[in-house]
Amino acid sequence: LAPCKKMKLNKNVSSSRRKQRKRHFQAPSHIRRLIMSAPMSKDMRTKYNVRSMPIRKDDEVQVVRGHYKGQQVGKVVQCYRKKFVIYIERIQREKANGATVYVGIHPSKVQIVKPKMDKDRKRIMDRRAASSTKKK
């Protein structure tokens, strides 16, 4: 018994799991940026009227899922697009030889608490806020 499928609206997008995974893992850097988006915290969501944003270095984030979840807020040190992870300031572990390394965390498992604002980011936020108010 096959589960009933939704009608596919866009003929350019495959509904095949295999093809979706292939496109995800072979995505070029500019598309990985969009895939690596993180939700905004509740107060930021109301302030900027934007639900999520592509994450970038120097954003302040809070981990909400997994082993490292907690209340402390850390700054994004690096966005590693090749591995689909971000490195956060105080989230490190010690290797067997004593060296400390950052632990990679997927951006969907963090919340942006304080975005790094510059004129380009401001323009993106304003544009997205305008489109979301237009839909309502």
Side-chain angles (χ1 to χ4, degrees):
L1 292 165
C4 59
K5 284 189 175 181
K6 286 185 195 166
M7 189 170 78
K8 197 166 68 141
L9 300 173
N10 187 347
K11 69 179 180 61
N12 297 320
V13 177
S14 171
S15 57
S16 162
R17 175 177 163 82
R18 174 204 260 183
K19 289 180 186 174
Q20 288 294 339
R21 283 178 55 82
K22 178 173 189 263
R23 290 197 180 111
H24 179 273
F25 292 111
Q26 291 184 348
S29 185
H30 71 285
I31 291 171
R32 284 181 187 230
R33 176 180 165 272
L34 294 175
I35 293 171
M36 290 176 66
S37 289
M40 305 284 259
S41 66
K42 287 270 188 335
D43 48 333
M44 289 294 130
R45 204 180 298 173
T46 52
K47 182 179 176 184
Y48 295 112
N49 204 9
V50 173
R51 190 174 179 82
S52 67
M53 281 292 288
I55 204 146
R56 67 165 285 183
K57 188 177 169 179
D58 295 330
D59 280 349
E60 287 186 18
V61 296
Q62 177 182 5
V63 181
V64 291
R65 286 281 180 276
H67 184 268
Y68 296 95
K69 76 176 173 190
Q71 296 305 309
Q72 95 249 31
V73 173
K75 199 174 260 192
V76 176
V77 178
Q78 183 187 0
C79 290
Y80 203 152
R81 286 190 193 168
K82 189 177 182 183
K83 291 185 175 182
F84 290 104
V85 295
I86 58 171
Y87 295 144
I88 302 169
E89 208 171 46
R90 286 182 287 278
I91 298 180
Q92 298 171 321
R93 67 185 297 258
E94 209 168 277
K95 285 172 49 169
N97 65 3
T100 59
V101 289
Y102 287 109
V103 177
I105 290 173
H106 194 273
S108 67
K109 306 301 175 203
V110 302
Q111 222 174 41
I112 300 175
V113 176
K114 185 167 171 275
K116 172 157 172 28
M117 292 303 267
D118 54 11
K119 61 177 177 28
D120 296 327
R121 204 106 188 266
K122 184 88 180 88
R123 214 169 64 227
I124 292 167
M125 290 233 190
D126 293 341
R127 187 181 69 223
R128 291 184 63 178
S131 74
S132 69
T133 53
K134 209 181 290 180
K135 285 177 186 172
K136 288 180 182 174

